[in-house]
Amino acid sequence: MKNKIFYPFIIIEFLLFVFSTIAAMGSVDFSDTYLRFSSVVLCFIFILVAVNRNKTDKIFGSLFALSIVAAEVFATILSATLINKFLAVLFYALSQVVILVRLLKELKMKIWKDLLIVGSVIVLVNVILLLSNTFTWFYFMASIYGVLIINNVVLAIMEYKKTNPLYRPNWFFLAVGLAFIAICHLNVLLQGFVGETAALRSIIDLSAYTFFIPGLVIAIVSFMLFEPREA
């Protein structure tokens, strides 16, 4: 890789991940909020200065990272009001729209086919929410985000299988990174349904913290230029 800042970036992100996880678990008297936010901002800076696979990846990678920064402002920096939570999920969903457009452009798929599938699943999820009397606008936006990120993982796997072997690392890292982020946010959602004293609560809490930074870093790395190894 031509990215000389890659290893310093990974080392700093690893340290932020370790310290923020320790802080989040209450092992030290220090908030994890700004450590996590620093990690997100660092990802945005990295994608701006890193050597990308092409100009398209530079643009989409920057938009993806910027959307995550905006989402984290509402999710962690500002007070936890309902409107801020809604806006956080809105920007998370926007980050997945950016990835979806990038994938559809690469796959050369007809956009209406994928949107028909995504839209149908979103409608189905919200019908279930309505029937169970749990529908809210927050859950509506969360359902859009959830369906989009799962759809993007599937599309990234599809692109990995069909693309030139030279570019397979890009799509492998994208699929893994998005999957990690999805696991993180699934556990954040589960926190609202599982009691504080439940046996699984500690695992859910740990997963909600430990998957986000690695997932975001891996997804950001997917936009880099990977040089072929010499034989």
Side-chain angles (χ1 to χ4, degrees):
M1 288 173 281
K2 295 180 179 179
N3 296 272
K4 294 181 180 180
I5 62 170
F6 173 72
Y7 291 110
F9 167 69
I10 294 298
I11 291 171
I12 295 172
E13 286 287 3
F14 177 75
L15 293 174
L16 288 170
F17 164 68
V18 171
F19 291 136
S20 63
T21 301
I22 292 173
M25 293 297 100
S27 300
V28 294
D29 187 19
F30 188 81
S31 173
D32 68 298
T33 299
Y34 291 101
L35 290 171
R36 170 173 165 144
F37 187 69
S38 297
S39 173
V40 174
V41 172
L42 183 59
C43 283
F44 176 60
I45 295 173
F46 174 77
I47 203 67
L48 291 178
V49 299
V51 179
N52 300 96
R53 187 164 67 101
N54 50 45
K55 186 177 180 180
T56 301
D57 275 352
K58 171 73 78 174
I59 295 171
F60 281 93
S62 300
L63 290 175
F64 169 72
L66 184 60
S67 299
I68 298 294
V69 170
E72 284 295 299
V73 169
F74 290 105
T76 62
I77 302 299
L78 300 180
S79 57
T81 62
L82 184 59
I83 183 63
N84 284 342
K85 290 180 179 179
F86 177 85
L87 289 172
V89 179
L90 176 63
F91 277 104
Y92 281 130
L94 182 60
S95 73
Q96 296 309 308
V97 171
V98 171
I99 296 295
L100 176 61
V101 174
R102 178 70 187 97
L103 284 164
L104 292 177
K105 179 179 175 62
E106 193 74 22
L107 286 163
K108 296 179 174 59
M109 291 178 60
K110 292 183 178 179
I111 189 170
W112 68 267
K113 290 184 177 180
D114 189 68
L115 291 183
L116 181 63
I117 296 172
V118 169
S120 299
V121 177
I122 291 173
V123 169
L124 177 61
V125 170
N126 283 280
V127 167
I128 295 173
L129 291 174
L130 283 169
L131 293 176
S132 60
N133 295 318
T134 55
F135 176 87
T136 65
W137 288 110
F138 174 79
Y139 284 135
F140 171 71
M141 184 56 63
S143 70
I144 294 175
Y145 170 61
V147 174
L148 281 173
I149 195 169
I150 293 172
N151 177 71
N152 287 343
V153 171
V154 173
L155 292 182
I157 294 172
M158 290 172 57
E159 177 59 20
Y160 170 82
K161 290 181 177 180
K162 70 175 282 292
T163 195
N164 185 319
L166 179 64
Y167 301 128
R168 283 185 177 175
N170 298 91
W171 305 110
F172 172 80
F173 284 126
L174 181 61
V176 172
L178 294 182
F180 274 30
I181 295 173
I183 292 171
C184 162
H185 287 142
L186 175 61
N187 282 280
V188 171
L189 183 64
L190 290 175
Q191 286 176 331
F193 296 93
V194 179
E196 293 284 349
T197 58
L200 288 176
R201 183 57 188 246
S202 60
I203 298 176
I204 291 173
D205 289 346
L206 183 63
S207 298
Y209 290 112
T210 56
F211 279 93
F212 181 76
I213 292 179
L216 180 59
V217 170
I218 293 169
I220 289 296
V221 167
S222 73
F223 293 97
M224 288 174 52
L225 171 65
F226 290 87
E227 291 182 311
R229 292 182 179 273
E230 296 181 0

